[in-house]
Amino acid sequence: MKTIHLANVACGFHASDFSIMNETVRLAKANNVLVGAHPSLPDKQGFGRREMAMEPEELASCFIYQVGALTGFLVAHGMSLNHIKPHGAVYGMTARDPELARAAVGVAKTFGVPFMGLAGTCHQVEARKLGVPFIAEWFADLEYSPEGKLIITKKHDPVPLSAVKDRVNRLLEEKQITTTAGFLPLEEGVREVSICCHSDTPGAVEIAETVKALVDGNNAQLVDSQ
């Protein structure tokens, strides 16, 4: 918790349970970390990284169930839900499918919080249509295709810290995304991003510490220049 600004907390369907959610929220509060819900497909065996067929209404119910559970623990600890961000396979599914995206974003509207997702995809489009604040996200420990598509894998490979630093610095300083074939500009109109580091990537703590230091340093420079 000391290495992050906000946490995307699993809600029981791909990981976690009532005891872990309670402890996670307690630790977040103790470290002044904002908490977002990280709902997934019901797939603990596959850690939520296997796609399954689901109708929009069914997905909305699946998300409301999970977000409602986490929200209960937040209320118990005197905290508020900061945002909703889908996990794993359903993150990609909702980025591609407008009906599924509308269902997921609709849950954020129900709870009165922003939706976090991929800029330039159905995430951002449906958030705009539904009037839901959108938080653009970029991944420090995953790769992007030459077209700028996020490459979602079931298991995360190790990433050298030098590569993480290069990617983050390029994003912060030049507003460019590193792909497997070169670089692409950030989606037009995106001025701020949330940088994600996965807890199951090898060396996750070191990666998060590195990213936080770079982000804090960049933000301090921006404040000084104003």
Side-chain angles (χ1 to χ4, degrees):
M1 285 292 178
K2 298 181 186 301
T3 65
I4 58 178
H5 299 103
L6 60 82
N8 299 302
V9 178
C11 304
F13 275 25
H14 72 278
S16 190
D17 59 25
F18 45 85
S19 296
I20 294 174
M21 274 193 279
N22 184 57
E23 179 64 8
T24 301
V25 171
R26 185 191 70 78
L27 288 171
K29 183 176 183 179
N31 288 277
N32 296 313
V33 171
L34 301 174
V35 173
H38 203 29
S40 72
L41 297 173
D43 179 26
K44 275 198 172 182
Q45 290 79 10
F47 198 60
R49 288 180 178 153
R50 301 181 296 190
E51 292 194 3
M52 63 177 65
M54 191 168 282
E55 294 297 322
E57 184 177 356
E58 187 179 15
L59 181 65
S61 296
C62 177
F63 276 21
I64 289 171
Y65 185 94
Q66 295 175 76
V67 177
L70 178 63
T71 300
F73 291 108
L74 289 167
V75 171
H77 287 276
M79 296 185 70
S80 299
L81 182 66
N82 187 68
H83 65 277
I84 293 174
K85 171 196 163 182
H87 164 80
V90 76
Y91 188 88
M93 291 165 61
T94 52
R96 299 188 304 267
D97 187 314
E99 292 188 1
L100 291 179
R102 193 173 306 119
V105 174
V107 175
K109 186 169 186 175
T110 296
F111 283 89
V113 296
F115 186 87
M116 181 182 289
L118 288 177
T121 70
C122 294
H123 289 164
Q124 186 174 19
V125 172
E126 296 305 321
R128 185 183 302 117
K129 287 181 179 178
L130 291 177
V132 173
F134 179 74
I135 302 172
E137 182 177 41
W138 175 81
F139 294 80
D141 55 354
L142 295 183
E143 292 191 331
Y144 287 77
S145 72
E147 300 78 28
K149 305 288 187 183
L150 179 67
I151 301 174
I152 300 175
T153 57
K154 291 182 180 179
K155 183 178 179 181
H156 295 168
D157 294 325
V159 184
L161 276 181
S162 59
V164 171
K165 290 178 182 178
D166 289 344
R167 294 173 184 176
V168 174
N169 282 327
R170 183 170 290 275
L171 178 77
L172 296 175
E173 297 171 4
E174 302 181 34
K175 304 297 185 289
Q176 289 186 330
I177 293 173
T178 302
T179 74
T180 55
F183 311 101
L184 289 173
L186 268 179
E187 189 71 21
E188 186 176 352
V190 174
R191 297 177 181 274
E192 297 178 340
V193 296
S194 174
I195 300 179
C196 177
C197 304
H198 289 89
S199 61
D200 64 322
T201 297
V205 173
E206 291 80 7
I207 290 173
E209 288 174 340
T210 299
V211 172
K212 186 174 187 293
L214 292 172
V215 170
D216 287 346
N218 178 79
N219 290 346
Q221 289 182 355
L222 291 176
V223 170
D224 291 342
S225 64
Q226 292 179 352

